[in-house]
Amino acid sequence: MKLLGGLCLAFVLAAPPSAVLAEEYRLGVMDKLRIRVAEWQTAEGVVRDWSAVSGDYSIGADGALSLPFIGQLPADGRTSAELAQDIGEKMQILFGLKDLPSASVEIAEYRPVYLSGEVQTPGAYPYAPGLTVLKAVSLSGGLKRGEPGQRFARDFLRSEGEAAVQLAERNRLLIRRARISAEMSGTGDIVMPKELGSSDEARAILESEKALMVSREKRLRLQLTALADLKSLLNNEVESLGKKSETQTRQLELVQGDLSKVDSLAEKGLAISSRRLALEQRTADLQAALLDIDTSSLKAKQDINKAAQDETNLQNDWDAQLAQDLQNTEQELDTLTLKLGTSRDLMSEALMQSADAAVLKGGMRADNIGYSILRTVKGKAEQIRATETTPVLPGDVVKVELDLKTQ
């Protein structure tokens, strides 16, 4: 009987920043994707890693993604889930695979946003989830102003934008920490941190972390179940081999009894030598079969022990990764708290200096700042009026117009 080999498992415990927009985000030209492909081979009970296809890729100017073996795949306007499903199906057809490969498509880097108009440094800047017009302007160094009061106001806006980005990142880390704590305690639910209250942004991040926790828990349970099934199958095999050994042993005892009788008759000259030789050959065959059964049973028991060790290692690796993630999150929170304090101090200083300079030179009024976003939707460019809190999407062009007047 052919024995099942050990089960090789791979478990990814980290989730990318793009998880927040994964469900609704549509891919576009210049998006950089991280693709991983693996195949669960049911017959062998192992996971095959398609490293030749896995890697980091960019969506080209034609809106297509070029992959080894598969070739060109349309990607522009599709979700990462749709693209992942397409990759798995293409590979199954191309290689004639029995099992559908599992492909994961993560956004490694969004296509950039562009700042133009009256900003300090126009150009392209990396996109990050949660980006607003104010945050985008802060990336370019703030508004371009020449007068002293305007320069201090620009410093204030830059510090304000940096503080807003840091505060959003801090909120995300607080909820991540709550999610890791829930996973470590096994409660199955994430408690909203008291510092965040019940804002829409916090609820959105919380729902994203809940979805991530459910996905991670499901993946772990599937792998633990696979190991449990393997141990159950091996135990059944050991039991079957035990019964077979008992049957063979009884047959050996009967043959050995017959051989003993033949030997007694042979001594009296009443049995032929061919009969004795056949019984001796039968005895040898049964002894060899018993030895094979014992060897197979021992191998199955070794595989059971290995599967049990894999199960223990999987759980230990899960716990260790959670502890490491919690430690890293705490360190990032400490760093962000310091940066946030510095940004607020700079805001206070710039505000006071700007107020002093405005007495001499005249200041800028907020209603003199105009924002607009140029966005391509279904191949057509649209211009959208915006405010400081308007969300910015990858590929957007943020245009800033100023009509500076003295008070």
Side-chain angles (χ1 to χ4, degrees):
M1 179 180 296
K2 181 179 178 182
L3 298 178
L4 296 177
L7 186 63
C8 177
L9 297 174
F11 188 62
V12 179
L13 298 177
S18 59
V20 177
L21 298 178
E23 295 183 357
E24 66 273 17
Y25 181 68
R26 297 283 172 175
L27 302 174
V29 176
M30 294 181 66
D31 276 339
K32 294 183 180 179
L33 307 179
R34 179 168 295 115
I35 297 176
R36 297 291 181 269
V37 182
E39 174 196 359
W40 171 255
Q41 297 179 330
T42 304
E44 293 79 8
V46 297
V47 175
R48 178 180 181 183
D49 183 17
W50 286 85
S51 57
V53 179
S54 301
D56 292 353
Y57 302 91
S58 297
I59 299 178
D62 58 352
L65 187 68
S66 180
L67 297 176
F69 303 112
I70 299 176
Q72 298 286 104
L73 283 179
D76 189 21
R78 306 180 69 186
T79 66
S80 57
E82 292 171 346
L83 187 59
Q85 180 69 21
D86 197 8
I87 292 172
E89 292 174 352
K90 294 286 186 184
M91 289 188 62
Q92 185 179 32
I93 296 173
L94 179 63
F95 295 105
L97 303 177
K98 179 180 179 181
D99 299 296
L100 179 66
S102 176
S104 67
V105 178
E106 302 170 356
I107 301 175
E109 183 179 328
Y110 293 94
R111 56 189 183 273
V113 296
Y114 302 88
L115 275 296
S116 68
E118 297 299 321
V119 294
Q120 186 66 24
T121 311
Y125 293 90
Y127 174 83
L131 192 66
T132 63
V133 169
L134 178 60
K135 296 176 184 178
V137 171
S138 71
L139 294 176
S140 67
L143 302 174
K144 179 166 58 176
R145 301 168 189 169
E147 296 297 323
Q150 296 170 354
R151 176 172 60 81
F152 293 132
R154 183 181 66 242
D155 292 342
F156 174 83
L157 287 176
R158 180 170 60 247
S159 298
E160 185 182 32
E162 291 174 353
V165 172
Q166 292 160 0
L167 186 59
E169 178 67 12
R170 174 178 171 271
N171 294 344
R172 186 178 66 83
L173 287 173
L174 286 171
I175 297 179
R176 181 202 291 177
R177 182 176 66 181
R179 186 258 301 166
I180 295 173
S181 298
E183 288 180 321
M184 294 179 72
S185 62
T187 58
D189 191 24
I190 305 175
V191 178
M192 176 71 78
K194 295 180 180 179
E195 302 95 322
L196 302 185
S198 58
S199 65
D200 292 340
E201 182 180 0
R203 284 197 298 270
I205 299 175
L206 182 66
E207 290 302 319
S208 174
E209 290 292 334
K210 283 183 178 179
L212 176 61
M213 184 174 70
V214 170
S215 175
R216 285 158 55 90
E217 178 69 16
K218 181 179 179 182
R219 190 176 305 171
L220 177 63
R221 291 301 135 210
L222 285 174
Q223 296 183 7
L224 289 174
T225 300
L227 282 172
D229 292 342
L230 176 60
K231 290 194 298 181
S232 177
L233 184 60
L234 290 170
N235 281 321
N236 291 337
E237 184 175 354
V238 171
E239 183 179 352
S240 176
L241 287 170
K243 293 179 180 179
K244 187 175 181 181
S245 177
E246 292 176 1
T247 301
Q248 294 286 72
T249 300
R250 286 195 299 269
Q251 292 182 3
L252 179 59
E253 290 173 351
L254 292 173
V255 173
Q256 287 176 336
D258 290 343
L259 181 59
S260 178
K261 293 177 182 178
V262 170
D263 285 340
S264 177
L265 293 174
E267 291 176 358
K268 300 177 182 179
L270 300 177
I272 58 176
S273 59
S274 59
R275 172 63 175 165
R276 180 180 180 182
L277 181 61
L279 288 172
E280 289 178 346
Q281 182 62 45
R282 177 60 176 161
T283 300
D285 291 342
L286 288 171
Q287 289 174 338
L290 278 172
L291 181 60
D292 290 341
I293 291 172
D294 290 341
T295 302
S296 298
S297 180
L298 178 60
K299 179 64 168 59
K301 290 176 181 178
Q302 289 175 341
D303 289 340
I304 291 174
N305 292 334
K306 185 179 184 304
Q309 185 61 46
D310 287 343
E311 189 175 37
T312 301
N313 291 341
L314 178 62
Q315 191 64 57
N316 290 341
D317 290 345
W318 168 269
D319 294 338
Q321 186 64 52
L322 285 177
Q324 184 63 50
D325 289 346
L326 181 60
Q327 182 180 2
N328 294 340
T329 302
E330 293 287 3
Q331 291 176 350
E332 292 180 39
L333 275 171
D334 292 341
T335 301
L336 272 177
T337 300
L338 292 174
K339 290 183 178 180
L340 190 58
T342 302
S343 296
R344 286 171 174 168
D345 291 341
L346 291 174
M347 288 167 56
S348 298
E349 181 180 356
L351 190 61
M352 290 187 294
Q353 292 175 337
S354 179
D356 293 340
V359 175
L360 299 176
K361 294 292 184 179
M364 180 200 67
R365 298 197 304 269
D367 56 6
N368 296 136
I369 308 173
Y371 300 104
S372 61
I373 295 176
L374 298 179
R375 179 176 297 163
T376 301
V377 179
K378 296 182 179 180
K380 296 183 179 180
E382 298 181 359
Q383 184 164 349
I384 305 169
R385 294 183 62 85
T387 65
E388 292 180 345
T389 58
T390 301
V392 178
L393 300 181
D396 282 355
V397 179
V398 180
K399 187 176 181 181
V400 181
E401 296 176 326
L402 300 179
D403 182 16
L404 298 180
K405 299 178 181 179
T406 58
Q407 298 182 11

